[in-house]
Amino acid sequence: MKHFLRMLIQVCLYFYCTFLWRCLKFVMRKLTGRCELQRICYNTKPGASRTMKIETSLRGSKSKLLQTSVSVHLDAIEKTIEDIMELKKINPDINPQLGISLQACLLQIVGYRNLIADVEKLRREPYDSDNPQHEEMLLKLWKFLKPDTPLASRISKQWCEIGFQGDDPKTDFRGMGLLGLYNLQYFAERDTTAAQQVLSDSLHPKCSKFSKAEWEQKRMDKAIGYSFAIVGINITDLAYNLLVSGALKTHFYNIAPEAPTLSHFQQTFCYLMHEFHKFWIEEDPLDIMEFNRVREKFRKRIIKQLQNPDMALCPHFAASEGLINI
């Protein structure tokens, strides 16, 4: 009975709030002479704040055109903007900036949806040792991380030196598929110095850039390292879940002036990998069994940062030099 009453109250609140919201929108339009989309574009600065409000407005509209505008093809966005302007009876000659602003928002919204599809496709693709492209990427990962150490053979215990669990890395990619390899190889190739430093620190944490005094102050005399590649795959899982949950919208809407791409996702992975490494050192876990605790604490910190509508995780990170912070 209590469950039924709770559901009834929730349904009543939903319809009550929806009715009030539509009434408020009607009143505001009459008072300002502008529709909700105009008010958002004219009163909210570019970036996540504006795009997320536009997305919420479009999805919550009673108009089918506005509802479906967030899922059109990228090539159809310009035509969709024209249809929205016509529906809202807005003269584009009098309000030219509105069309430009809406187009920028829709490019980000639709681009984010497409990025999820691209990332999901890579995640679902298993590593295939019979695929020359997959093998080439894996061997490149070794060369970037260990340029002065030749790999004795494809199946080798040497893979453990960069943090894989056995003599054949393909078994470690099962959880994240090819996405894990793409991210690791991107980090090692695009930010080689940082990747090599993180690898070295993960193997020899007491030899990191902390001074002896800092180690003693932090009481890190028994610092614990971690498996670089395995942690990279785990951080890939973290980045993937942040993307799919929508938590990364704040970041991408602030750093990608148009549609976010796979490169933006990989640059974000580089940042997360770098930040997790620093976080691990600062946490000074007693042993590797604390990994899940440290990872969860790190995840919560990142999510809290992303709740800030002005947040851009890595506008100045080395692997993100090509990004624009709008």
mmCIF file of all heavy atoms in Angstrom, residues 15-16 24 27-28 60 75 96 120 146 153 162 169 174 197 212 245 257 259 265 287-288 294 305 320 325:
data_model
loop_
_atom_site.group_PDB
_atom_site.id
_atom_site.type_symbol
_atom_site.label_atom_id
_atom_site.label_comp_id
_atom_site.label_asym_id
_atom_site.label_seq_id
_atom_site.Cartn_x
_atom_site.Cartn_y
_atom_site.Cartn_z
ATOM 1 N N PHE A 15 3.001 15.313 -13.159
ATOM 2 C CA PHE A 15 2.037 16.049 -13.978
ATOM 3 C C PHE A 15 1.861 17.482 -13.480
ATOM 4 O O PHE A 15 1.704 18.418 -14.280
ATOM 5 C CB PHE A 15 0.685 15.324 -13.980
ATOM 6 C CG PHE A 15 0.662 14.119 -14.877
ATOM 7 C CD1 PHE A 15 0.672 12.841 -14.350
ATOM 8 C CD2 PHE A 15 0.657 14.257 -16.262
ATOM 9 C CE1 PHE A 15 0.653 11.727 -15.167
ATOM 10 C CE2 PHE A 15 0.642 13.150 -17.087
ATOM 11 C CZ PHE A 15 0.642 11.875 -16.535
ATOM 12 N N TYR A 16 1.929 17.663 -12.164
ATOM 13 C CA TYR A 16 1.781 19.003 -11.586
ATOM 14 C C TYR A 16 2.945 19.897 -12.026
ATOM 15 O O TYR A 16 2.748 21.030 -12.478
ATOM 16 C CB TYR A 16 1.743 18.880 -10.060
ATOM 17 C CG TYR A 16 1.587 20.201 -9.339
ATOM 18 C CD1 TYR A 16 0.403 20.939 -9.469
ATOM 19 C CD2 TYR A 16 2.591 20.699 -8.522
ATOM 20 C CE1 TYR A 16 0.251 22.142 -8.800
ATOM 21 C CE2 TYR A 16 2.442 21.901 -7.859
ATOM 22 C CZ TYR A 16 1.267 22.622 -7.996
ATOM 23 O OH TYR A 16 1.115 23.818 -7.327
ATOM 24 N N LEU A 24 4.679 28.333 -17.091
ATOM 25 C CA LEU A 24 5.746 29.301 -16.888
ATOM 26 C C LEU A 24 6.401 29.679 -18.211
ATOM 27 O O LEU A 24 6.676 30.862 -18.465
ATOM 28 C CB LEU A 24 6.792 28.732 -15.926
ATOM 29 C CG LEU A 24 7.995 29.635 -15.607
ATOM 30 C CD1 LEU A 24 7.520 30.930 -14.941
ATOM 31 C CD2 LEU A 24 8.982 28.917 -14.712
ATOM 32 N N VAL A 27 4.113 32.041 -20.069
ATOM 33 C CA VAL A 27 4.134 33.390 -19.489
ATOM 34 C C VAL A 27 5.415 34.119 -19.870
ATOM 35 O O VAL A 27 5.397 35.295 -20.254
ATOM 36 C CB VAL A 27 3.986 33.325 -17.948
ATOM 37 C CG1 VAL A 27 4.226 34.698 -17.326
ATOM 38 C CG2 VAL A 27 2.605 32.812 -17.573
ATOM 39 N N MET A 28 6.541 33.422 -19.786
ATOM 40 C CA MET A 28 7.833 34.024 -20.115
ATOM 41 C C MET A 28 7.892 34.447 -21.578
ATOM 42 O O MET A 28 8.456 35.489 -21.916
ATOM 43 C CB MET A 28 8.970 33.041 -19.803
ATOM 44 C CG MET A 28 9.219 32.811 -18.324
ATOM 45 S SD MET A 28 9.753 34.311 -17.469
ATOM 46 C CE MET A 28 11.355 34.577 -18.213
ATOM 47 N N GLY A 60 12.619 17.834 -23.692
ATOM 48 C CA GLY A 60 11.390 17.972 -22.926
ATOM 49 C C GLY A 60 10.262 18.663 -23.670
ATOM 50 O O GLY A 60 9.169 18.835 -23.128
ATOM 51 N N ASP A 75 24.818 15.757 -40.869
ATOM 52 C CA ASP A 75 24.584 16.471 -42.128
ATOM 53 C C ASP A 75 23.218 17.136 -42.189
ATOM 54 O O ASP A 75 22.978 18.004 -43.031
ATOM 55 C CB ASP A 75 24.739 15.515 -43.322
ATOM 56 C CG ASP A 75 26.165 14.999 -43.465
ATOM 57 O OD1 ASP A 75 27.083 15.679 -42.975
ATOM 58 O OD2 ASP A 75 26.349 13.920 -44.064
ATOM 59 N N PRO A 96 20.006 36.339 -36.491
ATOM 60 C CA PRO A 96 21.018 35.460 -37.119
ATOM 61 C C PRO A 96 21.857 34.689 -36.102
ATOM 62 O O PRO A 96 22.268 33.560 -36.362
ATOM 63 C CB PRO A 96 21.885 36.445 -37.905
ATOM 64 C CG PRO A 96 21.726 37.756 -37.192
ATOM 65 C CD PRO A 96 20.320 37.768 -36.696
ATOM 66 N N GLU A 120 31.721 2.589 -28.283
ATOM 67 C CA GLU A 120 31.089 1.294 -28.036
ATOM 68 C C GLU A 120 31.510 0.266 -29.090
ATOM 69 O O GLU A 120 31.737 -0.915 -28.777
ATOM 70 C CB GLU A 120 29.569 1.446 -28.031
ATOM 71 C CG GLU A 120 28.799 0.177 -27.687
ATOM 72 C CD GLU A 120 29.060 -0.299 -26.270
ATOM 73 O OE1 GLU A 120 29.240 0.536 -25.377
ATOM 74 O OE2 GLU A 120 29.087 -1.526 -26.059
ATOM 75 N N LYS A 146 59.088 1.124 -24.495
ATOM 76 C CA LYS A 146 60.413 0.538 -24.232
ATOM 77 C C LYS A 146 61.278 0.642 -25.497
ATOM 78 O O LYS A 146 61.683 -0.367 -26.078
ATOM 79 C CB LYS A 146 60.255 -0.931 -23.824
ATOM 80 C CG LYS A 146 59.306 -1.183 -22.674
ATOM 81 C CD LYS A 146 59.964 -0.955 -21.326
ATOM 82 C CE LYS A 146 60.875 -2.099 -20.980
ATOM 83 N NZ LYS A 146 61.416 -1.976 -19.599
ATOM 84 N N SER A 153 60.219 -11.851 -28.532
ATOM 85 C CA SER A 153 59.246 -12.551 -29.380
ATOM 86 C C SER A 153 57.853 -12.045 -29.064
ATOM 87 O O SER A 153 57.630 -11.406 -28.027
ATOM 88 C CB SER A 153 59.321 -14.071 -29.161
ATOM 89 O OG SER A 153 58.975 -14.384 -27.822
ATOM 90 N N ILE A 162 55.621 -4.004 -18.970
ATOM 91 C CA ILE A 162 54.792 -2.806 -19.169
ATOM 92 C C ILE A 162 53.392 -2.997 -18.569
ATOM 93 O O ILE A 162 52.472 -2.245 -18.875
ATOM 94 C CB ILE A 162 54.696 -2.404 -20.659
ATOM 95 C CG1 ILE A 162 54.057 -3.496 -21.517
ATOM 96 C CG2 ILE A 162 56.067 -2.039 -21.203
ATOM 97 C CD1 ILE A 162 53.792 -3.058 -22.954
ATOM 98 N N PRO A 169 49.444 -10.409 -24.274
ATOM 99 C CA PRO A 169 48.534 -9.335 -23.835
ATOM 100 C C PRO A 169 47.098 -9.471 -24.329
ATOM 101 O O PRO A 169 46.203 -8.854 -23.752
ATOM 102 C CB PRO A 169 49.182 -8.071 -24.426
ATOM 103 C CG PRO A 169 50.601 -8.438 -24.643
ATOM 104 C CD PRO A 169 50.602 -9.887 -25.011
ATOM 105 N N ARG A 174 40.147 -8.412 -22.980
ATOM 106 C CA ARG A 174 38.782 -8.949 -23.072
ATOM 107 C C ARG A 174 37.730 -7.997 -22.519
ATOM 108 O O ARG A 174 36.672 -7.829 -23.092
ATOM 109 C CB ARG A 174 38.723 -10.294 -22.335
ATOM 110 C CG ARG A 174 39.465 -11.411 -23.062
ATOM 111 C CD ARG A 174 39.532 -12.669 -22.220
ATOM 112 N NE ARG A 174 40.285 -13.733 -22.883
ATOM 113 C CZ ARG A 174 40.717 -14.833 -22.287
ATOM 114 N NH1 ARG A 174 40.446 -15.019 -21.002
ATOM 115 N NH2 ARG A 174 41.388 -15.744 -22.950
ATOM 116 N N GLN A 197 57.279 7.979 -18.187
ATOM 117 C CA GLN A 197 57.493 8.362 -16.788
ATOM 118 C C GLN A 197 56.494 7.648 -15.880
ATOM 119 O O GLN A 197 56.849 7.143 -14.816
ATOM 120 C CB GLN A 197 57.369 9.871 -16.625
ATOM 121 C CG GLN A 197 57.665 10.374 -15.215
ATOM 122 C CD GLN A 197 59.103 10.123 -14.800
ATOM 123 O OE1 GLN A 197 60.026 10.540 -15.496
ATOM 124 N NE2 GLN A 197 59.294 9.430 -13.684
ATOM 125 N N LYS A 212 63.242 13.070 -1.719
ATOM 126 C CA LYS A 212 63.359 12.202 -0.549
ATOM 127 C C LYS A 212 62.576 12.782 0.629
ATOM 128 O O LYS A 212 61.910 12.059 1.376
ATOM 129 C CB LYS A 212 64.832 12.030 -0.189
ATOM 130 C CG LYS A 212 65.054 11.085 0.989
ATOM 131 C CD LYS A 212 66.538 10.933 1.290
ATOM 132 C CE LYS A 212 66.739 10.001 2.496
ATOM 133 N NZ LYS A 212 68.181 9.840 2.819
ATOM 134 N N SER A 245 27.399 7.432 -19.190
ATOM 135 C CA SER A 245 26.487 7.976 -18.177
ATOM 136 C C SER A 245 26.125 9.431 -18.442
ATOM 137 O O SER A 245 25.182 9.964 -17.861
ATOM 138 C CB SER A 245 27.120 7.856 -16.786
ATOM 139 O OG SER A 245 28.227 8.736 -16.660
ATOM 140 N N PRO A 257 34.496 22.758 -29.602
ATOM 141 C CA PRO A 257 33.622 23.808 -30.139
ATOM 142 C C PRO A 257 32.541 23.255 -31.056
ATOM 143 O O PRO A 257 31.514 23.896 -31.251
ATOM 144 C CB PRO A 257 34.580 24.718 -30.908
ATOM 145 C CG PRO A 257 35.771 23.865 -31.192
ATOM 146 C CD PRO A 257 35.888 22.904 -30.058
ATOM 147 N N ALA A 259 31.481 19.013 -32.790
ATOM 148 C CA ALA A 259 31.198 17.649 -32.355
ATOM 149 C C ALA A 259 32.425 17.013 -31.697
ATOM 150 O O ALA A 259 33.495 16.990 -32.298
ATOM 151 C CB ALA A 259 30.749 16.807 -33.555
ATOM 152 N N PHE A 265 38.073 11.879 -26.742
ATOM 153 C CA PHE A 265 37.927 10.825 -25.729
ATOM 154 C C PHE A 265 39.293 10.281 -25.324
ATOM 155 O O PHE A 265 39.570 10.075 -24.135
ATOM 156 C CB PHE A 265 37.043 9.704 -26.264
ATOM 157 C CG PHE A 265 36.878 8.543 -25.314
ATOM 158 C CD1 PHE A 265 36.019 8.634 -24.234
ATOM 159 C CD2 PHE A 265 37.592 7.366 -25.508
ATOM 160 C CE1 PHE A 265 35.870 7.570 -23.342
ATOM 161 C CE2 PHE A 265 37.452 6.302 -24.621
ATOM 162 C CZ PHE A 265 36.590 6.404 -23.541
ATOM 163 N N ASP A 287 48.794 -1.993 -0.127
ATOM 164 C CA ASP A 287 49.112 -3.041 -1.100
ATOM 165 C C ASP A 287 48.182 -2.893 -2.294
ATOM 166 O O ASP A 287 47.268 -2.058 -2.305
ATOM 167 C CB ASP A 287 48.985 -4.445 -0.486
ATOM 168 C CG ASP A 287 47.631 -4.673 0.173
ATOM 169 O OD1 ASP A 287 46.598 -4.385 -0.482
ATOM 170 O OD2 ASP A 287 47.585 -5.122 1.323
ATOM 171 N N ILE A 288 48.413 -3.702 -3.323
ATOM 172 C CA ILE A 288 47.641 -3.599 -4.571
ATOM 173 C C ILE A 288 46.177 -3.970 -4.360
ATOM 174 O O ILE A 288 45.318 -3.603 -5.169
ATOM 175 C CB ILE A 288 48.272 -4.489 -5.664
ATOM 176 C CG1 ILE A 288 47.737 -4.121 -7.052
ATOM 177 C CG2 ILE A 288 48.037 -5.966 -5.357
ATOM 178 C CD1 ILE A 288 48.095 -2.708 -7.496
ATOM 179 N N VAL A 294 40.962 2.870 -4.030
ATOM 180 C CA VAL A 294 41.580 4.077 -4.563
ATOM 181 C C VAL A 294 40.885 4.496 -5.849
ATOM 182 O O VAL A 294 40.601 5.684 -6.064
ATOM 183 C CB VAL A 294 43.085 3.851 -4.815
ATOM 184 C CG1 VAL A 294 43.711 5.070 -5.473
ATOM 185 C CG2 VAL A 294 43.804 3.535 -3.503
ATOM 186 N N GLN A 305 34.070 16.932 -9.885
ATOM 187 C CA GLN A 305 34.613 18.004 -10.726
ATOM 188 C C GLN A 305 33.708 18.244 -11.931
ATOM 189 O O GLN A 305 33.478 19.387 -12.330
ATOM 190 C CB GLN A 305 36.019 17.635 -11.191
ATOM 191 C CG GLN A 305 37.065 17.636 -10.096
ATOM 192 C CD GLN A 305 38.425 17.162 -10.576
ATOM 193 O OE1 GLN A 305 38.547 16.639 -11.682
ATOM 194 N NE2 GLN A 305 39.440 17.321 -9.755
ATOM 195 N N SER A 320 46.356 17.368 -25.284
ATOM 196 C CA SER A 320 45.142 18.085 -25.683
ATOM 197 C C SER A 320 45.435 19.459 -26.219
ATOM 198 O O SER A 320 44.621 20.358 -26.140
ATOM 199 C CB SER A 320 44.202 18.196 -24.479
ATOM 200 O OG SER A 320 43.972 16.958 -23.883
ATOM 201 N N ASN A 325 39.156 25.869 -25.650
ATOM 202 C CA ASN A 325 38.293 26.036 -24.487
ATOM 203 C C ASN A 325 37.365 27.213 -24.742
ATOM 204 O O ASN A 325 37.759 28.359 -24.594
ATOM 205 C CB ASN A 325 39.139 26.282 -23.233
ATOM 206 C CG ASN A 325 38.287 26.270 -21.981
ATOM 207 O OD1 ASN A 325 37.152 25.839 -21.992
ATOM 208 N ND2 ASN A 325 38.854 26.758 -20.884
#
